[in-house]
Structure formats: C-alpha cells, structure tokens
Amino acid sequence: MDNAIVTSPSGSSPTEAQAFLDAHPEIEAFDIVLTDANGVGRGKIVRRHELKSIFEGGRHMPISILGLDITGEDVHETGLIWTTGDGDLRAWPIPGTLVPLYGTNPPRGQVLMAMYHLDGQPMSSDPRLALARQVDILAAKGLYPAGAFELEFFLLANERDADGKVQPARAVLDGRVSGKTEVYSVDHLHGMEPLFADIYAAAKAQGIPAETVISEYAPGQYELTLNYRKDVMQAADDLVMLKRLVRAQARRHGVTACFMAKPIEKYAGSGMHFHVSLQDRAGRNVFAEAGGESWSLPLLQGLGGLIQTMAESMLVFAPHANSWRRFVSQSYAPVAPTWGVNNRSVALRVPAGDARNRRIEHRPSGVDANPYLIAATVLAGIIKGLDQGLDPGPETTGNGYEAAVTRTTMPADWRAAIEAAKASSFLKGALGEDLHRTFVAIKQSEYLRVARTISELDYHLYLHEV
C-alpha cells in the first residue's frame, strides 16, 4: 500500500522542484511546513538534495503532528496519538508554495505541505484539506470563492517593562519610543522602514501580494493588507506564509512580531479580517447587485448563513483564552452577529464601492486564528445561507455595539464557545467529523490547562484579602 502512490495527491510535480533548484543554486536547505489546527507551522528542515524526492514521493510524518496543543504537547483525546499507534502518514508539497526565504544565511527555501494517508486519500484532520472540501462543494454548484485576509499584529520589544508587561518595540531606524496611539500616522511608520522594507522584499521573493502597511489603533500595532486572490486557497496560503516571514524579519531586526489577539490590556487587539466573494463559471461576481436592486440575493443569503452560524463557530474565530480579551465594546472587535454597510462596528461588513468588487468582510476572527479554518467555516456558512435561502435581517446602522441582538446569543467566553462548538452539527459539517473532533479536543485540553493555572492576578486579588 505504501508504494502504491505514483502521483502526488496534492498535484505537486517533481518538475516544479527541479525548476526551482535550477533557478536557485545557492539554496542549501528547505523548511517543509505543515499547518496544524492552531495554525502553528510544524515540520522539518531538509537538505537541498532531499527536495526532489519529497516532490516525487512525499515525506513521512507522524499522524500525531496534527493532534498537538498550542505548546506542542500530545492531546490524546484527538484520537491521533496512541489510538493510531502514532503511525506515519505522508505529507505532500502544495503546488506554488515552494519559495526562497529572504535573508537566510545560509540560504534556505520553504514549501507548505498537506497530509494524506498512505493510499493518497486526504487526511481529514488537516485544516487546509478541510478548506479544500468546502471549495469543492461550491465548485459543484458552479461557484468559486475569491478572497483576501488582513494581517494585524504588534511589534514588541524583546524585553518586558519594569512591571513585567510587554511593551511596544523601539523604532528600528533610530530607537525612538512612542507610547501614543499613532493610528494612520505615516511618519510613525518611517521608524520601522528598514523592517518593512525587508518584509516587502521577503513577500516579493515568495510571490505574496503584500500591499498597504498601516499604523493601527494601538502603540506598536500595524496592519498589512493582501491583494485579492481569485483562488481562496491561495489567499489562505498567503496569510500563513506572510505571518511566518513577518515573524522572521522582525526577529532579524531585534524585535518580536506578536500575533496574540490581545497582547496589551488597555489597547485594541489584533484581528484577521477575511474578505470573500463568489464568482460564477463566467467569472461574474454573484454578490454584485444588478441595476435596480439594493443588494443581490446571494449576498443577503450568504450574510444570513453567516449570522445564523456565527455563535456556534466562534471557537474557530477566537480559539484561545487570550482571544476573548479582544471582545470589548467599541474596540473595533465585533460583539454580536450583525451586518452593515461601510460600518466597522458590525461583525459582517459590506464595504462601499464599485458593485463589481462587492464582497463580505468577515470581522470576528483574531489574528491568532487559523486562516484555513476561518475560510472553511465562513464558506460553509455562506453555503448554508444559499441552500436554505436565509434572511440576514435588517441592516445595522450607526453604532453596532448598541444594536439589540435578538436572534442569536453569542458565547460569553472561551468555555461557552468550546461547548457551543462541541454541540454544533454545522461546525462538524464545516470542518468534517475528524477535524471537528481534533479541534474541539485540543481546545478542551488547553482550556483545562488555563483553568487550573494560578495567575499573579489571583494572588493580587485574593492572597491577603480572603
């Protein structure tokens, strides 16, 4: 059975590997990266001479690599550890993700991987393959999702402040410190110019369409936007690769790129907004309204599906304990399943502009979430809305934080989100039964770790008082 595969189930080709090796004789090694349920890249560094054989026959990796918690510990409840004997499956390269890594010494490259069984069948706990399944469901309906993610993050100093708190990084250009909210300040960006120049150079080397950089709504917070992709799989790959290169370039400049949803308690957290639309077989955007109608029916039905499924999906969008600290009123993080036009206080924003570019901006997710799972869940919600003809209800205007929510009760916290996800037949269908079991088991294990931990805040509040 192990020797039965003669072609790559991912669609990769040894020709791609050979062409890359010929074009890059300087590269000595490669990171082969598999993305787990938490969005963590796990894998190996292989030598140059090993690359072509990986494209020819894949690379064995233990099944347990997809059953790890955020710290890399086994979660036995996933069923992917000793239940399977921790056997090897086979990871295959994802076509188009073989790229050079900018600034490495000695020079290295990178390729993203996806996990398959030894007979070539998709490994159903692989997050990227869960997204591929939703894309296939839409393709059977003659619909093709396009999209892009936005990446918000903090640049932090490697050292804590006098109180042990994280603090914004000094400008890498001249060491200046800013403790102010420099939102949209162009001059503030100049202090990080050497770092952002390297980020753009690294993105160009990898074919990632990184575009605008913004100084965001907190000291040390930034946003990078990505160009819209016609293939939503490529859009998710872009985000995975961009996070890796931002972290690497920040480290080379002596600062820390932080992708926690809420690293600093008194400032806004970091989101990962997902823009999505659907094209038909002729390449027409089905979300675009025709003359005389306010909004297209597919757009409204897609919004309806996302609103109805948002509460039970929040564990995907806010997967960690820290994720839930981001949901504070008037923090630009949505707190209710609402939709509106050109309104950043709602969960589902329809940006203003040319109807040909009509799309949904899905805003609940934190930057700590897994983009493959976000996209899979959002597409599944849109599919449900289309299939069932769901109505999103009235548009929210004005301050969405004050809007009355009567349709769906959102989880109040991480534990409630875990319970909602565990009971959700929708999420089981969106992720697939195996990945649903894996993901919920990992989150339950992490919740128990956090719940039993005695924090410094506990001692501060209670040690001498109760």
Side-chain angles (χ1 to χ4, degrees):
M1 184 71 70
D2 186 44
N3 297 320
I5 300 174
V6 293
T7 58
S8 166
S10 71
S12 61
S13 166
T15 303
E16 180 184 0
Q18 188 60 59
F20 186 90
L21 292 172
D22 291 344
H24 297 278
E26 77 284 0
I27 290 183
E28 298 182 12
F30 295 86
D31 296 3
I32 60 172
V33 183
L34 182 73
T35 302
D36 72 6
N38 273 317
V40 176
R42 302 192 186 276
K44 305 177 180 182
I45 297 178
V46 301
R47 304 301 296 170
R48 177 185 176 88
H49 68 270
E50 299 178 83
L51 181 71
K52 193 171 180 182
S53 68
I54 292 172
F55 277 75
E56 291 171 342
R59 184 66 177 243
H60 286 104
M61 287 189 181
I63 189 173
S64 59
I65 201 171
L66 293 175
L68 305 176
D69 70 9
I70 192 68
T71 69
E73 295 285 345
D74 291 338
V75 179
H76 297 280
E77 293 80 5
T78 61
L80 301 180
I81 315 299
W82 299 125
T83 304
T84 63
D86 195 16
D88 278 347
L89 297 185
R90 194 156 11 188
W92 288 87
I94 296 168
T97 66
L98 178 58
V99 294
L101 291 176
Y102 177 83
T104 51
N105 186 21
R108 294 202 323 277
Q110 172 186 279
V111 63
L112 301 185
M113 310 287 283
M115 189 78 93
Y116 294 82
H117 291 283
L118 298 180
D119 63 359
Q121 292 301 306
M123 198 287 168
S124 49
S125 285
D126 184 313
R128 191 179 190 277
L129 298 182
L131 172 56
R133 191 166 64 87
Q134 295 301 323
V135 171
D136 289 344
I137 291 171
L138 281 167
K141 300 175 182 292
L143 296 171
Y144 306 91
F149 289 87
E150 297 174 7
L151 182 69
E152 295 179 359
F153 59 97
F154 280 80
L155 293 175
L156 302 177
N158 293 339
E159 305 78 24
R160 304 289 182 91
D161 66 16
D163 297 321
K165 304 284 189 179
V166 298
Q167 56 184 331
R170 293 176 177 271
V172 298
L173 183 65
D174 57 13
R176 285 180 55 191
V177 178
S178 173
K180 303 189 295 294
T181 299
E182 305 270 10
V183 63
Y184 280 85
S185 169
V186 177
D187 290 344
H188 178 66
L189 293 174
H190 293 169
M192 291 295 180
E193 185 176 18
L195 170 54
F196 281 109
D198 281 344
I199 288 172
Y200 280 125
K204 182 179 181 180
Q206 296 185 19
I208 299 172
E211 293 196 329
T212 306
V213 61
I214 300 167
S215 180
E216 262 291 353
Y217 206 71
Q221 188 183 35
Y222 302 87
E223 177 185 281
L224 272 170
T225 61
L226 287 159
N227 195 21
Y228 215 68
R229 293 283 200 182
K230 291 183 179 180
D231 179 357
V232 78
M233 299 289 293
Q234 194 173 23
D237 291 339
D238 284 343
L239 198 284
V240 168
M241 295 167 71
L242 184 61
K243 283 182 73 172
R244 283 181 56 79
L245 75 84
V246 168
R247 181 180 283 116
Q249 296 306 320
R251 190 173 183 181
R252 289 190 175 91
H253 282 271
V255 300
T256 296
C258 175
F259 300 109
M260 290 173 63
K262 181 81 166 176
I264 301 176
E265 60 191 42
K266 62 181 179 178
Y267 294 112
S270 295
M272 189 196 295
H273 302 161
F274 176 43
H275 295 252
V276 61
S277 60
L278 298 179
Q279 319 298 315
D280 63 15
R281 289 190 176 97
R284 186 183 70 89
N285 182 357
V286 302
F287 284 173
E289 60 272 16
E293 64 178 351
S294 296
W295 304 108
S296 76
L297 187 59
L299 174 71
L300 293 174
Q301 291 175 341
L303 289 167
L306 293 174
I307 285 173
Q308 187 177 109
T309 59
M310 189 175 296
E312 58 198 300
S313 304
M314 282 305 299
L315 186 62
V316 169
F317 310 142
H320 306 292
N322 180 260
S323 308
W324 291 84
R325 306 193 195 285
R326 175 171 161 262
F327 297 106
V328 179
S329 181
Q330 299 183 28
S331 64
Y332 291 96
V335 294
T338 51
W339 76 279
V341 180
N342 198 24
N343 187 336
R344 287 184 171 83
S345 66
V346 297
L348 303 170
R349 174 178 177 252
V350 179
D354 191 328
R356 291 173 297 180
N357 300 324
R358 190 68 67 223
R359 63 194 186 274
I360 297 171
E361 180 186 358
H362 184 272
R363 297 174 58 82
S365 299
V367 74
D368 55 344
N370 183 328
Y372 297 125
L373 298 188
I374 293 171
T377 305
V378 167
L379 293 184
I382 291 172
I383 292 168
K384 180 170 182 169
L386 295 175
D387 287 349
Q388 299 182 11
L390 298 179
D391 182 353
E395 173 193 348
T396 296
T397 58
N399 188 347
Y401 296 111
E402 296 177 352
V405 180
T406 58
R407 286 192 169 197
T408 309
T409 301
M410 297 284 277
D413 54 28
W414 191 29
R415 180 178 180 181
I418 292 172
E419 293 303 316
K422 184 177 182 180
S424 172
S425 58
F426 163 76
L427 201 58
K428 188 176 292 185
L431 303 182
E433 289 192 17
D434 290 338
L435 181 53
H436 177 266
R437 181 193 66 247
T438 297
F439 183 63
V440 171
I442 289 170
K443 295 297 108 183
Q444 286 180 316
S445 174
E446 291 174 353
Y447 170 79
L448 291 174
R449 178 189 286 244
V450 171
R452 66 173 176 258
T453 299
I454 310 301
S455 70
E456 283 300 319
L457 180 61
D458 288 330
Y459 294 122
H460 176 71
L461 292 176
Y462 310 121
L463 180 62
H464 299 294
E465 308 299 334
V466 297

